[in-house]
Amino acid sequence: MTGTGRLAAARRFFPILEWGKTYNRDTLTNDAVAAVIVTIMLIPQSLAYALLAGLPAEVGLYASILPLVAYAIFGTSRALAVGPVAVVSLMTAAAVGNIAAQGTAEYIAAAVILAFLSGLMLLVMGVFRLGFLANFLSHPVIAGFISASGILIAASQLGQILGIKAGGHNLVELLHGIVANIGQTNPITLAIGAGATAFLFWVRKGLKPMLLGAGVAPRLADILAKAGPVAAVAVTTLLAWGLGLADRGVAIVGDIPQGLPPFTLPQFDADIWMSLAGSAALISVIGFVESVSVAQTLAAKKRQRIDPDQELVGLGASNIASALSGGYPVTGGFARSVVNFDAGAETPAAGAFTAVGILLAALLLTPLLYFLPKATLAATIIVAVLSLVDLGIVRRTWAYSKADFFAVSATILLTLGFGVETGVSAGVLLSIVLFLYKTSRPHVAEVGLVPGTQHFRNIRRHRVETDPSIVTIRIDESLYFANARYLEDFIYDRVVGDRAIRHVVLMCSAVNEIDMSALESLEALNHRLNEIGIRLHLSEVKGPVMDRLERTHFLDELSGRVFLSQFEAMRALQPGGETGPAPLRC
Amino acid sequence: MTGTGRLAAARRFFPILEWGKTYNRDTLTNDAVAAVIVTIMLIPQSLAYALLAGLPAEVGLYASILPLVAYAIFGTSRALAVGPVAVVSLMTAAAVGNIAAQGTAEYIAAAVILAFLSGLMLLVMGVFRLGFLANFLSHPVIAGFISASGILIAASQLGQILGIKAGGHNLVELLHGIVANIGQTNPITLAIGAGATAFLFWVRKGLKPMLLGAGVAPRLADILAKAGPVAAVAVTTLLAWGLGLADRGVAIVGDIPQGLPPFTLPQFDADIWMSLAGSAALISVIGFVESVSVAQTLAAKKRQRIDPDQELVGLGASNIASALSGGYPVTGGFARSVVNFDAGAETPAAGAFTAVGILLAALLLTPLLYFLPKATLAATIIVAVLSLVDLGIVRRTWAYSKADFFAVSATILLTLGFGVETGVSAGVLLSIVLFLYKTSRPHVAEVGLVPGTQHFRNIRRHRVETDPSIVTIRIDESLYFANARYLEDFIYDRVVGDRAIRHVVLMCSAVNEIDMSALESLEALNHRLNEIGIRLHLSEVKGPVMDRLERTHFLDELSGRVFLSQFEAMRALQPGGETGPAPLRC
């Protein structure tokens, strides 16, 4: 490898070498301001999401330090804010809950392994440029999955708001737990939880317009609105401390260890690795899809590009960093990244500065959070995730595409009814199966000539000219194994009873490929039609398709000809038209 | 339901009502002659295939009586000969071998359950018209699977030819067994086996031409050639009896119970049913595909049609009949059906007559088969299956389509290395995955105007006219979730660095569908391009695609226009060309 080649490769794997070159004081200031705002937003979120994942609150802080530094080195998005996010936290709880009980050391160790496995998978996908695999999650399936996860997450937090125990991995279990224990509701917890929720909703919808109306500068109004959760945390913590609410049954966060994230090595246990591998793959792909879509949206606004395969490397490094520092699976968060972008972040360094902010919080602030009511964190989660819920996708797909509607409905219902892993797996499989089903029954039309033109259109939709001895069939799909027999059947059904037919022309203008199965079907068709005195012709075959057909014996054996255009075919084959034994190839 | 409706439905489910109407003495004679020839061919085959499946020889006869009658009532092919076949027998051995040992009552009972399950599945698929599912087996995968199975079967019979024990479900196990025990070869068995094999190959290749050369009538020569296996059976049985070969270590068939097939009910054991369900599904689909392809070939020769969904009902009824009469899974045999057709069979009644022939054999002939050497049956199997082996498919796919080549190679190698079930499952999955992969990276070309025409072609292949402010992209694939992001990326990559661009036109002539994901991608594309001052246009959108787009807000939000033809788009968008704010819709 030449020096230049090495440098290019280094720049691909270390985007920091690229943007670092032009880093200056202005960029530094902008990144630092964005980092302060994101830090304020991230502290309560990281604690809350860790609890959602069934982990101690400090694990959320740990997952918000080194992973951000790793992403700053390897990531390509200039605005993506990495860390614990709601959906991945819920998926972590579902995955780890299968192999250990919450509150045990095994549970925490399994979360570390999950982050490590997920990081490895992302890294491998990135190095082998397998980012395209994520494309097999259709948009409606992801949208349905995120919405259903949002509902599940909100339901899972209701127990904290009420101050009762209510766990479960699907809506039925969650609601059942709430109904069964609702009698033990703690009124003070409920007051704090409901109050915080109402306050946060008001901050979200009403505060910023009010501040703007009062003449506050837009940027400051924005920062104050984003600080809402911090205010809720501060006020309820003070209340809990001042009024001694912990003694009156209000669950508080309690002792959060003060200090640097621990250095952890994921333990190697083949059984645990095997049983977490499927979940790690799902978490990786879902996290990647969410992260890359927000990164792309933000990059496009500044006419920048991200490299999805390098994003895999960046997120992989983040998750491995998380595993090595006592964290759990992380990815790019939607709301957080938008805040980062709007606050003026210019480079991934903003993420590294955020990491410093969280590190300071872990070192200094944790004693202050001792009396923080868990209900307050539940309120921040509920308000955050309800913005993810958008069931309009069900209505939109119903109007636009029934296949998508079935896939999205199944995803939502199965996620709510059977949990996140079943839901998203079934959604992905179903959307692939429906796609295959559609392509296996392609649109096939018999066409005729539109009078006075050279255009051929569907005989069922248009008044067209046809000849009783010629049947022209247009196939609106590539020919491959799943639809080869369908076409054969369609043509046999058409010709069997009609003894006037002498020619069948396949119009191939929408055929982008003919695979081996379809080629063999065409050979069989040619042979069988020939046996009953019908010649098979092709028209408007595309260049690349023709190139491959010419490598076979098919064109030699074809009883008819290959025409450049359908009009030419019609003219040549009509009784009295130009005929000739030598087939014309194009 | 009206009387006529009831009758039509009855005719659909009982094709016998249709062909029975015109049955007369001529048809009867032709069917009877064909039945005699098929019976002669089927007796040794049914015994041999039962042994291949690891079952007692008489089970092969049982599977050749009631199933044929059931098919005669429910089947639509007029020439298909149903019964035990080589590949399905091998698959039965693999499936049943997983849950019971050969020679036990459980093994036989499991084979009955397998036939019953397979029959039920076929019946359900037929009633719900799910025959299209079989289309997901690509031709090369089937061809590779059948060839590899033929090799496995031939290898599995080598032990019988040598007179040694050598079992296994893949080539490694089989060859290992042969090498380990080759020292115990029984020379007399080897002489009989090798002699019978050589004789049968000669009958197949040399006898008919010789008879024709000697002036024998073609039809008689044909029958004599088909009777080769019967001659081998008769001669070697006589030798074994006359020379007392059983006492000298030659394995003989031994006692075959004389009489009617037993009435059996498949035992209901949920565990066994569950563990056989996957195998039953594979056997059903493979059997159906093989059967329907030979049935279609033969029907087409007489300009007849078969109904694939009713074929499922016919084969389902056959397998249930097999299960109820002590048999094992059956399907339409290739060689046997061709013989039936060539011998003049005109209706499914020929199958019923064959059943009578086999019934007579079961009642009367079995004592005569006591001394039949197993090596002779092994020879008939080897000669029959080697005609299935056609490894040319590997070369043909290599030349024509690399995706098909990988699918067929994997199928062959995995079938040989890991057995039939792994091989065919992997082949089917791989061919689907490769198809999805191909469609996820569609052919996308930037096109320009061919001077002096209205045609647009790839700028990389042709010398064409373009305008620096207009980029025209032609997509040669339907747009769906797996390729939506690919197209987005392609376009961003194209426009990001080129500040001259004002218009992007998507030429949709080969786009047969735009699903919800692709629609959202187009919306995002439109939005993002608009933000950087580029307008997005579509051209040559197909009618059904346009119909659906009109049900969304996309066309209202589209920054550009929808043009009927690409030429029109070029003319309107070129600087100085016709422009207008009102979008033209077609």
Side-chain angles (χ1 to χ4, degrees):
Chain A
M1 201 185 261
T2 64
T4 334
R6 258 199 302 275
L7 197 64
R11 283 215 183 113
R12 201 205 123 199
F13 278 105
F14 299 95
I16 193 173
L17 297 177
E18 192 63 36
W19 58 260
K21 282 188 302 187
T22 55
Y23 208 77
N24 59 30
R25 184 191 291 241
D26 282 350
T27 337
L28 176 71
T29 313
N30 287 332
D31 283 350
V33 170
V36 169
I37 295 173
V38 173
T39 304
I40 291 171
M41 182 177 179
L42 191 50
I43 292 174
Q45 271 194 2
S46 61
L47 301 170
Y49 291 150
L51 295 182
L52 171 59
L55 292 161
E58 67 270 20
V59 173
L61 295 175
Y62 301 159
S64 308
I65 303 173
L66 277 195
L68 281 67
V69 178
Y71 184 82
I73 298 170
F74 294 99
T76 61
S77 164
R78 305 201 164 193
L80 195 71
V82 170
V85 304
V87 172
V88 167
S89 299
L90 179 69
M91 293 179 83
T92 299
V96 177
N98 282 334
I99 61 166
Q102 279 193 22
T104 62
E106 288 74 31
Y107 191 92
I108 299 175
V112 165
I113 294 174
L114 193 64
F116 190 74
L117 276 177
S118 171
L120 272 188
M121 287 176 182
L122 289 163
L123 213 52
V124 167
M125 283 170 72
V127 170
F128 290 100
R129 307 190 79 75
L130 301 178
F132 72 90
L133 285 178
N135 297 341
F136 287 96
L137 278 84
S138 85
H139 295 198
V141 165
I142 298 170
F145 174 67
I146 299 288
S147 289
S149 299
I151 294 172
L152 274 189
I153 293 170
S156 76
Q157 299 306 306
L158 275 183
Q160 299 281 6
I161 298 278
L162 297 167
I164 59 176
K165 273 196 198 304
H169 293 305
N170 62 55
L171 199 58
V172 178
E173 288 170 15
L174 287 166
L175 294 182
H176 184 263
I178 290 166
V179 171
N181 298 322
I182 201 157
Q184 288 136 45
T185 299
N186 181 309
I188 306 175
T189 306
L190 178 57
I192 293 173
T197 307
F199 170 72
L200 291 171
F201 268 118
W202 171 76
V203 164
R204 209 180 184 84
K205 305 278 177 195
L207 180 61
K208 197 175 153 191
M210 204 188 76
L211 291 173
L212 291 174
V216 178
R219 186 137 185 200
L220 183 62
D222 216 37
I223 294 177
L224 287 174
K226 293 294 184 280
V230 171
V233 164
V235 170
T236 56
T237 303
L238 284 172
L239 279 177
W241 169 70
L243 304 177
L245 297 183
D247 301 331
R248 299 168 71 178
V250 173
I252 57 172
V253 167
D255 209 24
I256 302 179
Q258 199 172 357
L260 294 169
F263 176 69
T264 45
L265 271 180
Q267 54 185 110
F268 185 77
D269 177 322
D271 282 349
I272 296 180
W273 283 48
M274 289 300 289
S275 56
L276 287 176
S279 306
L282 280 180
I283 287 175
S284 304
V285 175
I286 293 283
F288 171 64
V289 168
E290 272 309 281
S291 181
V292 94
S293 84
V294 57
Q296 269 174 336
T297 306
L298 298 177
K301 292 194 186 208
K302 292 196 174 173
R303 216 173 175 130
Q304 292 164 346
R305 296 286 296 137
I306 60 155
D307 171 358
D309 286 311
Q310 181 60 23
E311 281 301 285
L312 285 165
V313 174
L315 293 175
S318 288
N319 276 290
I320 289 174
S322 190
L324 296 180
S325 57
Y328 74 105
V330 295
T331 192
F334 180 76
R336 191 179 308 164
S337 302
V338 172
V339 168
N340 197 32
F341 181 86
D342 289 343
E346 290 195 25
T347 75
F353 299 153
T354 305
V356 173
I358 302 286
L359 181 64
L360 291 175
L363 286 174
L364 308 174
L365 288 187
T366 54
L368 303 181
L369 297 171
Y370 184 91
F371 287 102
L372 168 58
K374 287 186 173 180
T376 307
L377 292 179
T380 67
I381 293 181
I382 288 178
V383 175
V385 297
L386 285 183
S387 68
L388 300 176
V389 178
D390 168 23
L391 294 176
I393 187 71
V394 176
R395 192 180 33 72
R396 289 200 302 278
T397 51
W398 173 258
Y400 184 70
S401 156
K402 295 297 177 286
D404 281 320
F405 168 78
F406 285 120
V408 74
S409 307
T411 307
I412 292 174
L413 294 177
L414 291 171
T415 303
L416 293 178
F418 297 91
V420 279
E421 298 192 344
T422 310
V424 73
S425 312
V428 170
L429 277 181
L430 188 62
S431 54
I432 291 175
V433 165
L434 287 170
F435 169 72
L436 290 171
Y437 177 74
K438 280 190 289 183
T439 60
S440 80
R441 325 197 73 150
H443 185 237
V444 177
E446 191 174 339
V447 297
L449 182 66
V450 180
T453 73
Q454 302 190 0
H455 287 294
F456 285 75
R457 285 300 181 92
N458 195 335
I459 57 171
R460 298 203 180 173
R461 293 196 180 198
H462 302 265
R463 203 171 288 176
V464 290
E465 290 169 3
T466 55
D467 186 289
S469 69
I470 307 172
V471 172
T472 302
I473 308 245
R474 192 192 68 211
I475 314 117
D476 287 347
E477 191 74 61
S478 289
L479 291 176
Y480 80 112
F481 57 87
N483 60 26
R485 188 165 286 138
Y486 180 84
L487 178 68
E488 261 186 88
D489 287 346
F490 184 92
I491 293 174
Y492 292 141
D493 281 340
R494 177 66 185 81
V495 304
V496 153
D498 189 342
R499 297 199 172 254
I501 298 170
R502 288 288 163 268
H503 303 280
V504 169
V505 186
L506 293 185
M507 187 176 163
C508 301
S509 47
V511 174
N512 299 309
E513 214 215 311
I514 296 178
D515 81 348
M516 192 75 189
S517 303
L519 176 68
E520 290 184 359
S521 270
L522 290 179
E523 284 171 347
L525 192 62
N526 176 50
H527 187 67
R528 292 183 198 166
L529 290 179
N530 202 23
E531 282 191 340
I532 55 174
I534 299 177
R535 292 170 78 189
L536 178 69
H537 310 266
L538 306 181
S539 75
E540 308 197 1
V541 181
K542 297 193 173 193
V545 175
M546 199 65 190
D547 288 349
R548 279 168 67 188
L549 288 182
E550 278 171 349
R551 277 186 261 146
T552 70
H553 297 296
F554 176 67
L555 297 176
D556 304 324
E557 284 157 17
L558 187 64
S559 60
R561 297 163 51 179
V562 180
F563 295 98
L564 196 60
S565 75
Q566 178 55 33
F567 185 67
E568 203 175 277
M570 195 72 176
R571 228 173 30 182
L573 299 175
Q574 255 170 340
E578 163 243 330
T579 46
L584 173 73
R585 305 268 160 72
C586 52
Chain B
M1 198 185 264
T2 64
T4 335
R6 256 198 304 273
L7 197 63
R11 283 212 185 117
R12 200 206 125 198
F13 278 106
F14 299 94
I16 192 173
L17 297 176
E18 192 63 37
W19 56 261
K21 282 189 303 187
T22 55
Y23 208 77
N24 58 30
R25 186 192 291 239
D26 282 350
T27 339
L28 175 72
T29 312
N30 287 333
D31 284 349
V33 169
V36 169
I37 296 172
V38 173
T39 303
I40 291 171
M41 183 177 178
L42 191 51
I43 293 173
Q45 272 194 358
S46 61
L47 300 171
Y49 290 150
L51 295 182
L52 171 59
L55 293 161
E58 67 270 19
V59 173
L61 294 175
Y62 301 159
S64 308
I65 302 172
L66 276 194
L68 281 67
V69 177
Y71 184 83
I73 298 169
F74 294 99
T76 60
S77 164
R78 306 203 164 193
L80 195 72
V82 170
V85 305
V87 173
V88 167
S89 299
L90 179 69
M91 294 178 83
T92 299
V96 177
N98 283 335
I99 62 165
Q102 279 192 23
T104 62
E106 288 74 32
Y107 191 93
I108 299 175
V112 165
I113 293 172
L114 193 65
F116 190 74
L117 276 176
S118 171
L120 272 186
M121 289 178 181
L122 288 163
L123 213 53
V124 167
M125 284 170 71
V127 170
F128 291 99
R129 308 192 78 76
L130 301 178
F132 72 89
L133 285 178
N135 297 342
F136 288 97
L137 279 83
S138 84
H139 295 198
V141 166
I142 299 169
F145 174 67
I146 299 287
S147 288
S149 299
I151 294 171
L152 274 189
I153 293 169
S156 76
Q157 298 305 304
L158 275 183
Q160 298 281 4
I161 298 278
L162 297 167
I164 60 177
K165 274 196 197 303
H169 293 304
N170 61 55
L171 200 58
V172 178
E173 288 170 14
L174 287 166
L175 294 182
H176 185 264
I178 290 166
V179 170
N181 298 321
I182 199 157
Q184 287 137 46
T185 299
N186 181 309
I188 305 175
T189 304
L190 177 57
I192 292 173
T197 307
F199 170 73
L200 290 171
F201 267 118
W202 171 75
V203 164
R204 208 177 182 89
K205 304 277 177 194
L207 180 62
K208 196 174 154 192
M210 204 189 76
L211 290 173
L212 292 174
V216 178
R219 186 139 186 199
L220 184 61
D222 217 37
I223 296 177
L224 287 173
K226 295 293 185 276
V230 171
V233 164
V235 170
T236 56
T237 304
L238 283 173
L239 279 177
W241 168 69
L243 304 176
L245 297 182
D247 301 331
R248 300 169 69 177
V250 173
I252 58 173
V253 167
D255 211 23
I256 301 179
Q258 199 171 357
L260 293 170
F263 175 70
T264 45
L265 271 180
Q267 53 185 110
F268 185 76
D269 176 321
D271 283 347
I272 297 181
W273 281 49
M274 289 301 288
S275 56
L276 287 176
S279 305
L282 280 181
I283 288 176
S284 302
V285 175
I286 295 280
F288 171 64
V289 168
E290 274 306 281
S291 181
V292 93
S293 83
V294 56
Q296 269 174 336
T297 307
L298 298 177
K301 292 193 189 210
K302 291 194 176 175
R303 216 170 174 132
Q304 293 164 347
R305 297 284 298 137
I306 60 155
D307 172 357
D309 286 311
Q310 180 61 24
E311 281 301 284
L312 285 165
V313 174
L315 292 174
S318 288
N319 275 291
I320 290 174
S322 190
L324 296 180
S325 57
Y328 74 106
V330 295
T331 193
F334 179 76
R336 191 179 307 164
S337 301
V338 173
V339 167
N340 196 31
F341 181 85
D342 289 344
E346 288 195 27
T347 75
F353 299 154
T354 305
V356 174
I358 302 286
L359 180 65
L360 291 175
L363 288 174
L364 308 173
L365 289 186
T366 54
L368 302 180
L369 297 171
Y370 185 91
F371 287 102
L372 169 58
K374 287 185 173 178
T376 306
L377 292 178
T380 66
I381 293 181
I382 288 178
V383 174
V385 298
L386 284 184
S387 68
L388 301 176
V389 178
D390 168 22
L391 294 176
I393 187 71
V394 177
R395 192 180 33 73
R396 288 199 303 278
T397 50
W398 174 258
Y400 183 71
S401 156
K402 294 297 177 285
D404 281 319
F405 168 78
F406 286 121
V408 74
S409 305
T411 308
I412 292 174
L413 293 176
L414 291 171
T415 303
L416 293 178
F418 297 91
V420 279
E421 298 192 343
T422 310
V424 74
S425 312
V428 170
L429 277 179
L430 188 61
S431 54
I432 290 175
V433 166
L434 288 170
F435 169 73
L436 291 170
Y437 178 73
K438 280 189 292 182
T439 59
S440 79
R441 324 198 74 149
H443 186 237
V444 177
E446 191 174 340
V447 297
L449 182 67
V450 180
T453 72
Q454 302 190 0
H455 286 292
F456 284 75
R457 285 302 179 90
N458 195 334
I459 57 168
R460 298 204 179 173
R461 293 196 182 198
H462 301 267
R463 202 171 288 175
V464 290
E465 290 169 3
T466 56
D467 186 289
S469 70
I470 306 172
V471 172
T472 303
I473 310 257
R474 191 191 70 210
I475 315 117
D476 288 346
E477 192 74 62
S478 289
L479 290 177
Y480 80 111
F481 57 87
N483 60 27
R485 189 164 285 138
Y486 180 85
L487 178 68
E488 260 187 88
D489 286 345
F490 184 92
I491 293 174
Y492 292 140
D493 281 338
R494 177 66 185 84
V495 303
V496 153
D498 189 342
R499 297 201 170 252
I501 298 170
R502 288 289 163 269
H503 302 280
V504 169
V505 186
L506 293 184
M507 186 176 163
C508 301
S509 46
V511 175
N512 300 309
E513 214 213 310
I514 294 178
D515 81 349
M516 191 76 187
S517 303
L519 176 67
E520 290 183 0
S521 269
L522 289 179
E523 284 170 347
L525 191 62
N526 176 50
H527 187 68
R528 293 184 198 165
L529 290 179
N530 202 25
E531 283 192 338
I532 54 174
I534 298 177
R535 292 171 77 189
L536 178 70
H537 310 265
L538 305 181
S539 75
E540 308 199 359
V541 182
K542 295 193 175 191
V545 175
M546 199 65 191
D547 289 349
R548 279 168 68 189
L549 288 182
E550 278 171 349
R551 275 185 262 147
T552 70
H553 296 296
F554 176 66
L555 297 177
D556 304 326
E557 285 157 16
L558 187 65
S559 61
R561 297 163 52 179
V562 179
F563 296 97
L564 195 60
S565 75
Q566 178 54 35
F567 185 67
E568 204 175 276
M570 194 73 177
R571 228 173 27 183
L573 300 175
Q574 256 171 338
E578 162 243 331
T579 47
L584 172 73
R585 304 270 162 70
C586 52

